[in-house]
Amino acid sequence: MKYEIKPVGYVRKKEEKYFLEIKEEYIPALKGLDGFSHVNVLWWCHLNDSEEDRDKVILGHLYKKAPREMGVFSTRAPIRPNPIALTVVSVGNIDFDDGIINISPMDAEPDTPIIDVKPYQPSLDRVRNVSVPEWCTDWPEWYEDSANFDWRSQVNF
């Protein structure tokens, strides 16, 4: 069976402002998105898409307090069997004519292919009783606090 993924748009950045540029044929898919404060953006880690990276299932010491080796499924690393990433972003203005969604900064490079955009829905995307391993318990509890968190103190870049 063959699977094909087509980008629906691209991450763009201009003067330190991020936006999603939706391809013309998918602009009608934005209908009804107004009113949602956040969206989930699924994107392709195109800068880490190689056969060598796709074959890696054990990764080295990514997080300073984490075990020395971790399985790729226990990380948010871009190196994966299928290099798909997920980021929640806040939505600013939406230009429904030109297919532009102004968003908060995200962890994707400009020109990154967008696979899909889905509205963030608390009843589906939020979990009340969450637990995480000891090595990341001091990470921010909320998305909004992540922007000011010192990630360099936690991650081995």
Side-chain angles (χ1 to χ4, degrees):
M1 184 177 293
K2 181 180 177 185
Y3 297 94
E4 182 178 344
I5 294 177
K6 300 184 299 184
V8 299
Y10 296 90
V11 174
R12 303 290 192 211
K13 183 179 175 187
K14 185 176 183 180
E15 299 172 3
E16 300 306 311
K17 301 217 185 248
Y18 283 78
F19 58 97
L20 306 178
E21 182 179 56
I22 304 302
K23 288 177 143 184
E24 185 175 354
E25 63 265 37
Y26 298 111
I27 292 174
L30 296 173
K31 184 177 178 130
L33 193 60
D34 48 334
F36 286 98
S37 65
H38 292 77
V39 292
N40 291 305
V41 180
L42 290 115
W43 49 279
W44 196 261
C45 302
H46 66 296
L47 299 177
N48 294 92
D49 190 4
S50 69
E51 286 303 317
E52 180 183 344
D53 284 344
R54 284 178 174 234
D55 288 341
K56 292 180 183 174
V57 293
I58 298 292
L59 300 179
H61 198 217
L62 298 176
Y63 308 105
K64 294 185 179 188
K65 297 179 183 177
R68 284 270 188 232
E69 289 186 339
M70 296 177 69
V72 69
F73 295 151
S74 64
T75 76
R76 300 284 298 243
I79 296 170
R80 325 189 65 74
N82 292 300
I84 298 170
L86 169 68
T87 303
V88 175
V89 294
S90 61
V91 175
N93 181 53
I94 302 173
D95 181 335
F96 290 95
D97 294 324
D98 292 328
I100 302 296
I101 307 171
N102 292 291
I103 60 168
S104 57
M106 65 180 289
D107 55 344
E109 296 295 325
D111 303 323
T112 294
I114 301 165
I115 298 171
D116 204 354
V117 176
K118 298 175 185 270
Y120 179 91
Q121 181 56 257
S123 62
L124 302 172
D125 297 321
R126 186 172 53 189
V127 179
R128 190 181 319 272
N129 297 312
V130 174
S131 62
V132 296
E134 177 67 32
W135 57 265
C136 61
T137 55
D138 55 342
W139 291 12
E141 186 174 346
W142 298 102
Y143 163 81
E144 293 83 359
D145 299 333
S146 293
N148 298 320
F149 185 70
D150 180 14
W151 286 106
R152 292 198 182 282
S153 71
Q154 301 294 316
V155 180
N156 292 317
F157 289 107

